Amino acid sequence: MTFQDLIGQEQVKKLLFESIQTGRIGHAYLFCGPDGIGRKTMARCFAEALTCETDSVLPCERCEACVLNRNNTNPDVLWIRQQEGKATVGVEEIRSVQEEISTAPQFGKYKILLFEHAEKMTVQAQNALLKTLEEPPRHAIFILATTEKHKILPTILSRCQIYDFNRISVEDTVNHLSYVASKEGITAEPEALNVIAMKADGGMRDALSIFDQVVSFTGGNITYKSVIDNLNVLDYEYYFRLTDCFFENKVSDALLLFN
């Protein structure tokens, strides 16, 4: 994905664009918000734009750094993830990347440290990171993605540019699902996509997962009826029928319908 593919975070995208254009790049960023709304994707796209060897706002896709980014092998972009079998990110992981971040970048002007789940850092690990944030190398940029900002030390938050990501609107989700359906040769009723978008509750990743599930269930012809059957969602008609029972004082019919 690229910046253009990110849906529903226009304000964050605009601010990051402007920072690249003006050359006012901070040393630390915090991307926070619910799961599935594009925090980590935005972080990766931002890192690709900063490590591109050209001076354009968007990655050129041709230089060596961009090619390595596409293969996730760029030595100037370091991901910090919890190790397999561990529930947290400890001091050892932070110290290992501190050594790498201290060396100059191989391609562009920056070396970037991406924290996939910043809230997983222990207090000791956060204190170790804080020492680097207080006096970072000029080429170092830290991007922290988290769903739980309150678990990050206030001293770290005070050194970060904080970007709050919003849940993606139903309209934006429906538009993107329509685009995906057209690209994949899938027919989908707008009402059906609307139900999927509402079920996803603002998460594009969840919306795409539900979309894939429904495609498998329907064989590529998504109808409103097939979606509510597959997702076990009540049709709007049920609510209208229930309200009619209330108005007509049909207590037994209302209870049976509710059951």
Side-chain angles (χ1 to χ4, degrees):
M1 292 183 69
T2 64
F3 268 124
Q4 299 97 311
D5 298 318
L6 288 162
I7 307 298
Q9 306 299 340
E10 299 305 318
Q11 185 62 25
V12 175
K13 204 181 336 184
K14 178 182 176 183
L15 291 171
L16 294 178
F17 265 27
E18 289 177 354
S19 68
I20 297 172
Q21 284 178 322
T22 59
R24 295 176 179 174
I25 309 298
H27 276 299
Y29 296 83
L30 182 76
F31 295 168
C32 52
D35 272 326
I37 57 172
R39 291 171 299 107
K40 288 181 284 186
T41 305
M42 184 76 80
R44 184 172 57 76
C45 290
F46 188 43
E48 289 178 359
L50 291 175
T51 54
C52 178
E53 296 177 71
T54 67
D55 292 327
S56 60
V57 177
L58 297 173
C60 69
E61 308 289 346
R62 296 183 299 275
C63 69
E64 189 173 357
C66 284
V67 173
L68 291 173
N69 279 328
R70 287 297 168 207
N71 298 325
N72 293 319
T73 55
N74 190 339
D76 293 337
V77 180
L78 309 172
W79 281 94
I80 308 303
R81 299 181 173 98
Q82 62 196 92
Q83 295 182 357
E84 190 174 348
K86 292 182 65 176
T88 58
V89 175
V91 177
E92 299 80 13
E93 289 89 334
I94 301 301
R95 285 177 178 163
S96 66
V97 297
Q98 281 175 333
E99 296 177 6
E100 294 189 56
I101 205 75
S102 62
T103 59
Q106 292 189 27
F107 300 104
K109 296 182 288 186
Y110 303 107
K111 205 163 194 177
I112 300 172
L113 212 59
L114 294 162
F115 291 80
E116 187 170 356
H117 295 286
E119 73 277 1
K120 300 289 186 183
M121 286 189 291
T122 63
V123 174
Q124 294 81 2
Q126 291 189 52
N127 282 320
L129 175 64
L130 181 60
K131 294 178 181 178
T132 307
L133 287 176
E134 288 173 341
E135 296 181 4
R138 293 188 63 182
H139 58 264
I141 296 176
F142 300 83
I143 305 177
L144 291 73
T146 182
T147 56
E148 300 175 277
K149 184 169 65 173
H150 61 277
K151 290 187 177 181
I152 309 299
L153 292 178
T155 45
I156 289 182
L157 294 178
S158 66
R159 288 166 172 79
C160 294
Q161 293 185 24
I162 299 176
Y163 292 86
D164 290 300
F165 284 60
N166 300 316
R167 291 189 181 276
I168 301 168
S169 69
V170 170
E171 182 182 0
D172 285 341
T173 303
V174 169
N175 289 338
H176 188 62
L177 292 178
S178 298
Y179 168 76
V180 173
S182 66
K183 286 291 185 181
E184 297 293 330
I186 296 166
T187 58
E189 295 178 355
E191 296 85 355
L193 298 181
N194 196 71
V195 173
I196 294 174
M198 293 173 64
K199 184 77 172 177
D201 192 26
M204 185 59 72
R205 186 171 61 205
D206 290 342
L208 290 169
S209 296
I210 296 170
F211 180 80
D212 284 341
Q213 174 186 331
V214 173
V215 168
S216 300
F217 176 76
T218 61
N221 182 25
I222 303 175
T223 62
Y224 179 74
K225 182 70 167 59
S226 65
V227 169
I228 62 173
D229 287 345
N230 182 253
L231 300 182
N232 197 26
V233 175
L234 284 178
D235 185 0
Y236 292 124
E237 187 62 30
Y238 280 99
Y239 299 100
F240 294 129
R241 287 165 58 191
L242 194 59
T243 306
D244 288 339
C245 290
F246 293 160
F247 282 132
E248 297 170 16
N249 200 28
K250 295 180 178 178
V251 179
S252 58
D253 288 350
L255 290 173
L256 286 170
L257 184 61
F258 182 71
N259 187 56

